[in-house]
Each structure stands twice: as C-alpha cells, then as structure tokens.
Amino acid sequence: MIKMYGVKMSRAGRTLWALEEMGLPYEQVPIRPREDTRKSDFLKINPNGHVPVIDDNGLVLYESMAINLYLAEKYGRAPLWPASIEDRARAYQWGFWGMTEVEPPLVTALRHMVLFPPEMRDANLAKQSVESLKPPFTVLDEYLKGRSYLLGKDFTVADLSLAGILSFTKMADVGAAAYGNIEAWLGRCLSRPANQRAQQKQ
C-alpha cells in the first residue's frame, strides 16, 4: 500500500487528489508544513523538509509534480494517463508551465494576502505578484477557448496537475475570476468526485 505524507492544505492536496482519481489504496500520514516537516524523523524521509512524499513499496519520492506523473504513468489508464507520447508531452508541458509561470507569483501573492501574519505582509509585493499573473492567465484563458480540458474532451493528468496549482486561486482574489474560460475549466476539474473526496481528508 502507498504511504502518503502530507495534508490537503498543502501541495500534498494534489497527490491526495491523484490517489483518489486512480482509486489507489493508500495510508495518509498527516504531516503538516513547518509544524511537522522540520522534525528529524521526517527529514530522514525528505531532507528538504517539504510535503508531499510517498513511499510506494520502498520507492520514496517527493515533489508533487513528479509524484503525480509517476502515479499516473504507473497506475493510471487512458484518458487520465494519455495514450500517445504527444499527449504525454503536453501533459508534461502544462504541469511544468504551471510550476514555473503561475505557482511562484501565486504563492507569493497568497503569502502576502492571507497566509503570513499581518505584520509580515507586504502589500506592494502582493500587488506586483497579482499583476505578474495576468500574462500567464491570459495565455491559459485563450488556450482553453473552445476546449473542455487541456488536451481536448477528456480530463487527464495535465488537468489534475495544473488545476491543483490553480486551486490556490480560491484562497484570495488574485484576479483569476476575471478569466471566464479558466474559471469554467477549473470548476469542472475541482468538482470531480475524486477531488471532493480528497478535500474530506486531513
């Protein structure tokens, strides 16, 4: 059985969603960011001190994107794990695009809008980060025009990867609601039963 370290209110939420999407049996170890991830026992598992981490029958793996792509390739079936190498390449593209173009400014904005205590927040940095989200949001919104999902009509690991990142836009107003195609797509993704089950976890 897969052991998954982390809680839903972290990047581990994406891995919980993937595990539920594939119907895999797993044990959740509720390691909380900062609170538990700096403890010596956990640092032996991931010396970086971050979640999620999985242990799949002895394979210890961290980094949420790597974990989810691994799970999809090993256990997923089409269409979740795309059948063609071309579509798998697009799944990698959108996952890495989300990590590089969207996640850094999004996390910075959220830290300085809601996550940090008030005395640590920098309103100017939050504003700059929200502004820097406009170009990638515009790219994604235009791309989604006429598409139900990133690779076409079916939900795939590409959608799971990117929607897992974009789900953070629900924590504060970072301007995502102004992009109708993104909002419609994200709603379809986040309303999936597997994600709803993941949200019931710790």
Side-chain angles (χ1 to χ4, degrees), residues 43-200:
L43 289 171
K44 292 175 184 175
I45 300 168
N46 182 1
N48 301 289
H50 300 304
V51 290
V53 180
I54 63 164
D55 183 338
D56 184 12
N57 296 307
L59 171 66
V60 176
L61 194 63
Y62 42 81
E63 297 299 332
S64 60
M65 190 64 63
I67 291 170
N68 285 6
L69 290 168
Y70 161 77
L71 292 173
E73 183 170 4
K74 183 173 182 179
Y75 297 108
R77 297 182 297 273
L80 183 69
W81 180 243
S84 74
I85 192 169
E86 291 81 5
D87 279 344
R88 293 197 293 273
R90 294 184 185 101
Y92 292 128
Q93 169 191 279
W94 284 111
F96 297 139
W97 180 87
M99 290 174 61
T100 57
E101 298 292 330
V102 176
E103 191 168 35
L106 176 57
V107 170
T108 298
L110 293 176
R111 283 173 174 163
H112 290 277
M113 293 172 79
V114 295
L115 297 177
F116 284 166
E119 65 273 13
M120 290 179 60
R121 296 177 191 173
D122 183 330
N124 287 329
L125 185 54
K127 183 178 179 180
Q128 291 169 14
S129 298
V130 169
E131 281 296 312
S132 69
L133 285 167
K134 290 180 178 179
F137 282 173
T138 300
V139 168
L140 180 60
D141 195 67
E142 182 65 24
Y143 177 81
L144 286 168
K145 190 179 297 182
R147 290 181 169 91
S148 296
Y149 295 104
L150 289 170
L151 304 190
K153 62 182 179 62
D154 295 314
F155 177 87
T156 70
V157 69
D159 300 286
L160 195 157
S161 296
L162 189 54
I165 295 170
L166 269 290
S167 66
F168 287 161
T169 63
K170 302 302 181 182
M171 295 175 63
D173 181 8
V174 294
Y179 299 86
N181 296 323
I182 293 177
E183 282 295 285
W185 163 80
L186 188 58
R188 285 191 290 274
C189 294
L190 298 183
S191 65
R192 290 180 67 82
N195 185 52
Q196 297 300 306
R197 291 193 298 272
Q199 294 307 306
Q200 299 304 311

Side-chain angles (χ1 to χ4, degrees), residues 23-38:
L24 298 173
Y26 66 94
E27 173 192 354
Q28 181 186 9
V29 182
I31 298 292
R32 290 166 176 78
R34 293 175 298 280
E35 184 179 340
D36 301 318
T37 54
R38 298 300 184 263

